[in-house]
């Protein structure tokens, strides 16, 4: 069963929400970031970039403290206001291609630790510890973890019922997305939501593995410091956006490699032919359209690579994943890339169905060869998580990407 609770969010005032909420810091170019910070005094980016006005580097711990201070400034000036009643928050995001709608709530770290919240990616301990330190100093979650669950009729009915009411927020952003937020404060409805999630067997992390792991470390740390720890404290939960799996959109990550590991093109193709049936499509763009089919761009030509299944050993759910197949047959044994996490010879692109970007990066000389893969399915993601296996880094590009500063969870 999944424990999902309402909470008292800290939120932007209704008149300023469109100005406050922002994309993730990493989503902006340097020029875009500067423009936001220079011309929008309400942007949440001022909180996560508090040292911008100093025009100089500050220590990591000092920067974290400045984030906390800027957050308090926003509250003091009533840009952020804390709800007086615990609520669930129904959030809908619509763009030209997709519509996403789910529930923002507080999910249990105990569920994460006992496996009721499942993960499909590995995490780097150094990053976990850094973000734990960040959370401990700033004292809040600003962007929900994206969790998914099997479609549920009860939850869907509640969402549709609440959406008939006037939303608390309704605004559009410059990336041509519309956003709506409804508050669910009626105790009879919040209890129905709690009971509905309690019947769900498992939740799956779609995006936010490091932030979830860091929240778990923080909870253990704070519990050890609290002589009166009960398990009900806010730090035992983390803010999540829970969305039905049918609404999740998963795109592929393309792979690029800077060199052929000392091989000539002919030698490289010969080694590939052991595991793949290869066809040169010349300048005709090739899209992989089946599992275990890959597109490769090399020396001005597109190639199709079809796995020779008789030459490959399938052992578990991970071994059937195209990203893992590419690693086991090409990246490691032929190109000599053992560590996918810390190797500057390999690059990634999350441009969905954008084969042209592969050609562009290779033609510009940034890389020697590029590979395009089919996107992972939700079934594959769940199968790997259920088996407690871990996908290679940069295997899934999952939508929706959530905005920061729309709802905040204090602990």
């Amino acid at each position: 069963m999944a424990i999902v609770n309402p909470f008292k969010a800290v939120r932007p005032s209704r008149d300023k929400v469109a100005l406050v909420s922002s994309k993730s810091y990493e989503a902006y170019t340097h020029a875009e970031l500067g423009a936001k910070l220079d011309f929008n005094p309400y942007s949440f980016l001022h909180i996560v970039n508090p040292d911008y006005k100093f025009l100089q580097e500050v220590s990591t711990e000092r920067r974290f403290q400045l984030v906390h201070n800027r957050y308090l400034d926003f509250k003091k000036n009533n840009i952020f206001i804390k709800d007086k009643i615990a609520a669930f928050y129904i959030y809908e995001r619509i763009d030209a291609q997709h519509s996403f709608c789910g529930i923002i709530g507080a999910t249990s770290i105990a569920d994460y630790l006992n496996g009721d919240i499942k993960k499909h990616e590995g995490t780097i301990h150094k990053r976990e510890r850094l973000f734990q330190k960040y959370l401990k100093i700033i004292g809040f979650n600003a962007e929900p973890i994206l969790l998914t669950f099997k479609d549920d009729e009860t939850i869907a009915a509640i969402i549709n019922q609440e959406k008939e009411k006037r939303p608390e927020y309704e605004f559009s952003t410059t990336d041509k997305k519309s956003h709506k937020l409804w508050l669910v404060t009626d105790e009879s409805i919040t209890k129905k939501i709690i009971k509905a999630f309690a019947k769900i067997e498992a939740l799956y992390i779609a995006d936010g593995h490091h932030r979830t792991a860091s929240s778990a470390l923080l909870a253990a740390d704070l519990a050890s410091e609290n002589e009166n720890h009960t398990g009900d404290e806010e730090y035992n939960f983390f803010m999540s956006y829970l969305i039905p799996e049918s609404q999740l959109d998963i795109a592929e990550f393309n792979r690029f490699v800077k060199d052929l590991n000392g091989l000539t093109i002919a030698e490289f193709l010969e080694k590939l032919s052991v595991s793949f049936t290869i066809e040169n499509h010349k300048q005709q763009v090739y899209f992989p359209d089946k599992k275990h089919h890959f597109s490769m761009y090399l020396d001005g030509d597109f190639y199709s690579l079809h796995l020779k299944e008789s030459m490959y050993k399938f052992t578990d759910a991970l071994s059937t994943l195209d990203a893992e197949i590419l690693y086991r047959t090409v990246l490691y044994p032929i190109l000599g890339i053992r560590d996918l996490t810390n190797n500057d010879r390999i690059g990634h692109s999350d441009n969905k169905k954008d084969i042209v970007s592969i050609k562009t990066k290779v033609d510009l000389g940034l890389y020697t060869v590029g590979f395009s893969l089919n996107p992972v399915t939700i079934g594959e993601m769940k199968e790997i998580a259920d088996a407690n296996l871990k996908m290679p880094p940069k295997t899934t590009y999952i939508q929706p990407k959530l905005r920061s500063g729309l709802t905040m969870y204090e602990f």
Side-chain angles (χ1 to χ4, degrees):
M1 61 178 286
I3 300 172
V4 184
N5 290 334
F7 66 100
K8 298 176 183 178
V10 175
R11 302 183 290 109
S13 59
R14 182 186 286 178
D15 64 312
K16 296 183 179 66
V17 61
L19 295 169
V20 171
S21 71
S22 71
K23 293 184 291 186
S24 176
Y25 166 76
E26 293 82 6
Y28 294 97
T29 65
H30 181 72
E32 289 172 333
L33 187 63
K36 294 284 186 182
L37 292 168
D38 285 337
F39 300 109
N40 180 4
Y42 299 113
S43 175
F44 185 77
L45 293 169
H46 283 288
I47 293 178
V48 293
N49 294 269
D51 50 338
Y52 177 76
K53 62 182 179 181
F54 295 113
L55 299 176
Q56 62 184 18
E57 293 291 330
V58 296
S59 68
T60 298
E61 190 163 333
R62 172 61 178 157
R63 184 174 182 276
F64 293 171
Q65 189 61 54
L66 288 172
V67 170
H68 176 72
N69 293 345
R70 288 292 285 152
Y71 174 71
L72 294 181
D73 287 343
F74 270 50
K75 290 182 69 176
K76 180 180 178 180
N77 293 321
N78 290 321
I79 300 170
F80 287 154
I81 303 168
K82 186 167 184 175
D83 286 332
K84 299 184 183 303
I85 302 173
F88 284 113
Y89 303 86
I90 295 174
Y91 172 57
E92 182 177 53
R93 200 208 79 184
I94 302 172
D95 59 35
Q97 289 80 36
H98 303 104
S99 175
F100 305 101
C101 190
I103 296 176
I104 298 174
T107 42
S108 169
I109 285 172
D111 283 351
Y112 171 73
L113 296 175
N114 65 27
D116 287 337
I117 295 177
K118 298 177 181 290
K119 53 189 176 181
H120 66 265
E121 288 184 5
T123 52
I124 300 170
H125 190 62
K126 184 178 180 180
R127 286 186 62 192
E128 292 177 15
R129 287 293 183 188
L130 178 64
F131 199 68
Q132 175 207 6
K133 185 177 183 180
Y134 175 75
L135 289 175
K136 188 171 185 179
I137 293 174
I138 69 169
F140 62 90
N141 294 149
E143 182 183 311
I145 304 299
L146 183 61
L147 299 182
T148 190
F149 59 93
K150 187 177 181 180
D151 288 49
D152 182 87
E153 291 182 359
T154 300
I155 294 174
I158 292 172
I159 289 176
N160 290 332
Q161 173 186 314
E162 293 299 310
K163 284 172 61 178
E164 294 295 322
K165 304 173 183 177
R166 180 193 178 192
E168 172 73 7
Y169 297 151
E170 184 173 9
F171 64 97
S172 296
T173 45
T174 54
D175 54 2
K176 298 183 178 180
K177 295 179 174 65
S178 64
H179 307 264
K180 296 180 182 180
L181 186 86
W182 292 263
L183 273 63
V184 183
T185 56
D186 187 315
E187 191 173 352
S188 65
I189 305 300
T190 60
K191 285 182 177 178
K192 288 181 181 178
I193 295 174
I194 292 170
K195 288 180 180 179
F197 276 114
K199 294 178 181 178
I200 291 176
E201 186 175 344
L203 303 174
Y204 294 83
I205 301 175
D207 194 16
H209 285 78
H210 278 93
R211 287 179 290 137
T212 308
S214 300
S215 294
L217 289 174
L218 176 64
D221 188 17
L222 294 179
S224 68
E225 296 175 359
N226 183 2
E227 295 180 358
N228 300 313
H229 173 78
T230 65
D232 295 325
E233 296 85 359
E234 287 86 351
Y235 57 75
N236 295 292
F237 299 84
F238 58 94
M239 184 172 64
S240 297
Y241 180 49
L242 301 111
I243 188 170
E245 61 184 46
S246 63
Q247 293 192 33
L248 209 62
D249 183 63
I250 308 177
E252 74 282 2
F253 264 101
N254 303 320
R255 266 91 165 118
F256 304 89
V257 182
K258 289 185 176 180
D259 59 75
L260 298 182
N261 199 27
L263 301 172
T264 66
I265 291 175
E267 291 170 337
F268 177 60
L269 292 172
E270 182 180 355
K271 287 182 178 293
L272 282 179
S273 68
V274 174
S275 298
F276 297 93
T277 300
I278 305 173
E279 183 178 351
N280 188 339
H281 295 260
K282 301 295 184 179
Q283 293 297 304
Q284 182 179 355
V285 175
Y286 170 73
F287 292 90
D289 57 359
K290 294 181 180 178
K291 268 181 70 70
H292 312 333
H293 287 193
F294 305 83
S295 175
M296 180 177 74
Y297 185 72
L298 173 67
D299 195 34
D301 289 341
F302 285 97
Y303 294 81
S304 59
L305 308 180
H306 296 176
L307 181 69
K308 296 178 181 177
E309 296 191 4
S310 61
M311 301 299 293
Y312 182 82
K313 188 175 182 180
F314 296 102
T315 56
D316 54 23
L318 180 60
S319 69
T320 69
L321 202 67
D322 283 350
E324 184 69 12
I325 291 171
L326 187 69
Y327 173 72
R328 294 187 186 187
T329 59
V330 182
L331 298 180
Y332 176 38
I334 299 177
L335 296 178
I337 299 173
R338 177 190 291 270
D339 185 354
L340 294 174
T341 305
N342 298 299
N343 195 314
D344 59 8
R345 291 177 57 218
I346 190 167
H348 306 86
S349 168
D350 57 22
N351 301 45
K352 185 179 181 183
K353 298 295 183 188
D354 188 3
I355 299 293
V356 175
S357 73
I358 294 182
K359 173 178 168 56
T360 301
K361 291 177 186 290
V362 173
D363 287 349
L364 288 174
L366 303 174
Y367 298 93
T368 298
V369 61
F371 301 92
S372 180
L373 292 69
N374 272 296
V376 173
T377 66
I378 184 66
E380 289 177 312
M381 189 183 83
K382 290 173 64 176
E383 188 178 4
I384 286 174
D386 289 341
N388 200 29
L389 299 170
K390 303 293 181 290
M391 291 183 184
K394 301 295 185 183
T395 296
T396 57
Y397 181 77
I398 296 179
Q399 292 274 23
K401 297 297 181 186
L402 303 176
R403 294 185 76 79
S404 299
L406 194 60
T407 59
M408 280 153 292
Y409 176 76
E410 293 184 334
F411 39 82

